[in-house]
């Protein structure tokens, strides 16, 4: 039995969480505060989804109620018979089928939506790092002409280059690379997560709710789309879910029938504590903040259960699991606690309320708005139903207050659900990619709570529970047949240039090893040249966002001329840095969206000089992306195709002189239209001595 004190604390905590969900998730705080408003397309989608919920409830609930009121004696047995037939499937067959479906669906979507390619700078950098690992090294020598090769989220340090991210996900991708299918890594980990969802729910909530939770995970657009991508949230989610399951096994006093020795081995509680700690440790080698947040949440839960020995063992093995991460940091950045993103972006990248790496203030008000927007998006993407998904989470918390079994389960699930929310409250960046991706760690506990909420409602509605069952079944059918394909169509239509496989084009055209200059926009050329002069990433970003592009062009041209004239490069670099800092402090009036490359800022009080006009004119015939190709080449730039940023004929010929044995090609679209497929144009080779 619970002590009365523990019960009061648990009930108070659950009601507090419930009130917070209700106040934050269902009200448009981001819009009201104006501190962190969503993009126009996101805001329009949120409004459309809200009214679709209203229309769906207005139609479905009356129809379901009428069916039950008029034909309940026929409908109820039919629904119950169907439910019993699902529950009669042996657990091992059920969970194996669910995992297979998840792997197949995610693998299919990986090709349909993304053509098996990474589609975000984060994943591109992590796949680049995976190539370094697959080559048997932690880093690769940084290229001498960094302006041609530098890309977002890649660190250049001590003569080497590598990804800014912790190594865990890239290690797993490197295994996929060696097997020839890196795109399959996340689908396989998603399939394994389905198994853990079932096992965890079965132990905490019972067999029937476990089956429902696995089914909800299968239809979740958030889970499906993320699992089809290269995002490291998926592998992190697997290890965190493993930590949750292992912690429950280490602490829990429940018994659940064994699913199968291979899937749920009968380890002693202390061994499960070891598994929990190592899982947290490995999760931290992928996403350290989420690993730390879950370690705290599970640790506090163990503490509340007075599970002293599992707590000590889990903590010790978590620390042990961090050793590879700290060693990696020490070997790459030069200090165990210095991460690649801190080395690249500076201290502004860290937690807390301060000026972010882009020079913008990060305040508690902005953070609150970010959190509200993320919960608003989670309400939509968690299950993809024409109903607010977090409603069922709140139902679980309501019933948990007076139901000991559900309360015990809800405490640990609510704690792990809140872990990422609390941790990211102190992080300056927000992003919505395939869903509120920073809350992906909360996906599994949210789905388990939602399943618990549905089951709790079902038990308490009596003869009217068929209303819930009909409405929920209709909602799932609509979500899978309408909402999911519509969302997939939107995602599939994005970023067509990222779906290309230029190596296939080169092979068809008979080219072997080649030096490929990628025609990029003026903005990419300016950023590449700033990197080439050793500008730190944060200063480059602030400069590009606040300084007129023509000023940047002229300053870079002058720096190049001084270097050619023989002036010491370090002195030129200092002069350039001082000049750029002065311009940033002046806060000159600039705007964007005027030039063919909309990212370049323009001072509307000035006219473009001749060289600047020529740079802008180059973009009118179209350009493509270089950064998406960085992960497709050998990090040592020795084998296969070498991709380089096109910086103009004169500078390109400097690079050609270092690759005399390769055919020089220009990769460029023939039209400025979005989605125009680039072609390869042969360039005249450099002559010896140039």
């Amino acid at each position: 039995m619970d002590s009365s004190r523990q019960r009061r604390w648990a009930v108070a905590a659950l009601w507090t969480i419930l009130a917070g969900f209700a106040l934050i998730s269902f009200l448009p705080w981001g819009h009201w505060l104006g501190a962190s408003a969503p993009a126009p397309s996101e805001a329009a989608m949120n409004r459309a989804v809200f009214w679709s919920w209203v229309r769906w409830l207005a139609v479905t609930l009356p129809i379901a109620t009428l069916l039950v009121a008029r034909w309940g004696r026929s409908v109820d047995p039919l629904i119950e018979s169907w439910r019993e037939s699902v529950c009669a499937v042996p657990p091992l067959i059920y969970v194996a089928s669910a995992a297979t479906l998840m792997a197949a669906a995610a693998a299919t979507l990986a090709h349909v939506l993304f053509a098996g390619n990474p589609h975000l700078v984060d994943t591109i950098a992590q796949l680049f790092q995976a190539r370094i690992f697959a080559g048997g090294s932690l880093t690769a020598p940084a290229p001498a002409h960094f302006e041609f090769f530098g890309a977002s989220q890649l660190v250049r340090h001590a003569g080497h280059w590598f990804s800014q991210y912790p190594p865990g996900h890239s290690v797993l991708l490197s295994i996929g690379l060696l097997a020839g299918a890196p795109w399959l890594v996340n689908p396989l980990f998603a399939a394994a997560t389905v198994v853990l969802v079932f096992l965890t729910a079965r132990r905490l909530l019972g067999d029937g709710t476990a089956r429902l939770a696995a089914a909800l995970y299968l239809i979740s657009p958030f889970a499906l789309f993320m699992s089809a991508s290269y995002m490291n949230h998926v592998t992190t989610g697997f290890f965190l879910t493993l930590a949750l399951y292992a912690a429950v096994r280490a602490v829990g006093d429940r018994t659940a029938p064994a699913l199968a020795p291979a899937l749920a081995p009968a380890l002693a509680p202390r061994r499960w504590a070891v598994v929990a700690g190592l899982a947290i440790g490995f999760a931290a080698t992928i996403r350290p903040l989420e690993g730390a947040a879950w370690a705290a949440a599970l640790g506090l839960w163990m503490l509340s259960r007075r599970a002293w020995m599992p707590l000590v063992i889990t903590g010790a093995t978590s620390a042990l699991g961090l050793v590879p991460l700290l060693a990696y940091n020490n070997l790459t950045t030069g200090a165990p606690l210095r991460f690649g993103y801190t080395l690249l972006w500076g201290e502004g990248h860290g937690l807390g309320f301060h000026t972010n790496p882009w020079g913008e203030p990060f305040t508690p008000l902005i953070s609150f708005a970010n959190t509200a927007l993320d919960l608003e998006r989670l309400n939509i993407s968690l299950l993809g139903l024409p109903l607010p998904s977090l409603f069922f989470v709140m139902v679980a918390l309501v019933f948990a207050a007076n139901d000991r079994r559900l309360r015990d389960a809800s405490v640990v699930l609510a704690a792990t659900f809140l872990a990422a929310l609390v941790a990211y409250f102190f992080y300056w960046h927000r992003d919505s990619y395939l869903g509120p991706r920073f809350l992906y760690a909360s996906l599994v506990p949210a789905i388990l709570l939602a399943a618990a909420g549905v089951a709790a409602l079902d038990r308490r509605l009596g003869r009217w529970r068929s209303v819930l069952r009909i409405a929920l079944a209709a909602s799932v059918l609509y979500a899978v047949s309408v909402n999911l394909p519509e969302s997939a169509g939107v995602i599939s239509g994005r970023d067509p240039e990222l779906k290309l496989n230029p190596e296939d084009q080169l092979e068809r055209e008979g080219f072997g090893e080649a030096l490929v200059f990628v025609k990029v926009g003026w903005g990419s050329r300016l950023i590449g040249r700033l990197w080439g002069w050793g500008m730190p990433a944060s200063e480059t970003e602030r400069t590009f966002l606040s300084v007129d592009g023509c000023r940047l062009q002229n300053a870079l041209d002058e720096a190049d001329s001084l270097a050619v004239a023989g002036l010491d490069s370090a002195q030129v670099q200092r002069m350039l840095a001082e000049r750029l800092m002065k311009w940033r402090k002046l806060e000159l009036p600039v705007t964007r969206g005027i030039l063919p490359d909309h990212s370049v800022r323009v001072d509307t009080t000035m006219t473009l000089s001749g060289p600047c006009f020529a740079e802008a004119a180059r973009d009118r015939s179209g350009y493509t992306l270089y950064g998406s190709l960085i992960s497709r080449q050998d990090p040592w730039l020795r084998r296969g195709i070498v991709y380089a940023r096109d910086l103009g004929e004169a500078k390109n010929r400097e690079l050609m002189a270092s690759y005399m044995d390769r055919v020089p090609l220009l990769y460029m679209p023939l039209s400025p239209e979005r989605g125009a497929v680039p072609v390869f144009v042969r360039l005249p080779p450099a002559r010896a001595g140039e």
Side-chain angles (χ1 to χ4, degrees), residues 462-487:
R463 68 177 294 261
W464 296 105
R465 66 182 179 181
S466 289
V467 174
L468 170 68
R469 293 176 175 183
I470 292 171
L472 188 59
S475 299
V476 169
L477 182 63
Y478 186 85
V480 173
S481 61
V482 178
N483 286 351
L484 191 63
E486 282 185 356
S487 299

Side-chain angles (χ1 to χ4, degrees), residues 441-461:
S442 300
L443 175 68
V444 166
I447 284 178
L448 293 179
L449 283 169
V454 172
L457 269 179
D458 187 78
R459 288 193 298 270
R460 288 165 173 78
L461 286 177

Side-chain angles (χ1 to χ4, degrees), residues 158-303:
H160 292 79
W161 65 340
F162 52 95
S163 162
Q164 71 168 5
Y165 296 98
H169 187 63
S170 292
V171 168
L172 299 173
L173 288 178
S174 70
I175 298 171
L177 276 173
L178 293 172
W183 53 269
L184 195 54
V185 169
N186 273 357
L188 292 178
F189 273 93
T193 305
V194 172
V195 177
L196 290 172
V197 165
F198 183 87
L199 290 172
T200 307
R202 198 164 186 250
R203 185 155 289 271
L204 287 174
L205 303 164
D207 185 78
T209 307
R211 293 170 188 262
L212 177 60
L216 293 179
Y217 188 87
L218 266 177
I219 68 166
S220 167
F222 197 12
L224 282 168
F225 296 149
M226 290 288 279
S227 299
S229 75
Y230 280 75
M231 298 298 285
N232 65 6
H233 304 269
V234 178
T235 50
T236 306
F238 165 80
F239 286 105
L240 292 178
T241 307
L242 176 59
L244 172 61
Y245 175 66
V248 169
R249 292 296 303 268
V251 173
D253 53 3
R254 308 197 183 287
T255 57
L259 182 62
L263 292 176
L267 298 180
R270 292 185 180 183
R271 293 186 179 181
W272 279 116
V274 171
V275 173
L278 293 178
I280 290 171
F282 200 92
T285 69
I286 305 173
R287 298 187 67 82
L289 182 58
E290 289 166 23
W294 272 59
L298 290 175
L300 288 172
W301 174 67
M302 289 180 175
L303 191 64

Side-chain angles (χ1 to χ4, degrees), residues 370-441:
N370 285 344
T371 302
L373 288 171
D374 278 343
L375 283 172
E376 188 177 337
R377 293 290 300 126
L378 187 65
N379 220 352
I380 297 168
S381 60
L382 176 65
L383 301 176
L385 302 176
L387 304 167
S389 300
L390 292 180
F391 168 76
F392 296 107
V393 173
M394 292 191 294
V395 167
L397 297 178
V398 168
F399 287 123
N402 298 305
D403 183 327
R404 178 190 172 185
R405 179 181 174 87
L406 184 55
R407 182 168 64 251
D408 288 350
S410 296
V411 167
V412 66
L413 294 177
T416 50
F417 179 88
L418 288 173
L421 272 170
V422 173
Y424 282 111
F425 189 84
F426 301 98
Y427 184 59
W428 57 274
H429 186 47
R430 175 193 175 260
D431 187 24
S432 184
Y433 176 71
L434 309 176
R437 65 184 183 93
F438 289 152
L439 297 189
Y440 193 82

Side-chain angles (χ1 to χ4, degrees), residues 607-626:
T607 57
L608 293 179
S609 65
C612 296
F613 184 85
E615 292 291 335
R618 285 181 63 190
D619 296 343
R620 291 199 182 100
S621 59
Y623 55 89
T624 189
L625 302 177
Y626 165 73

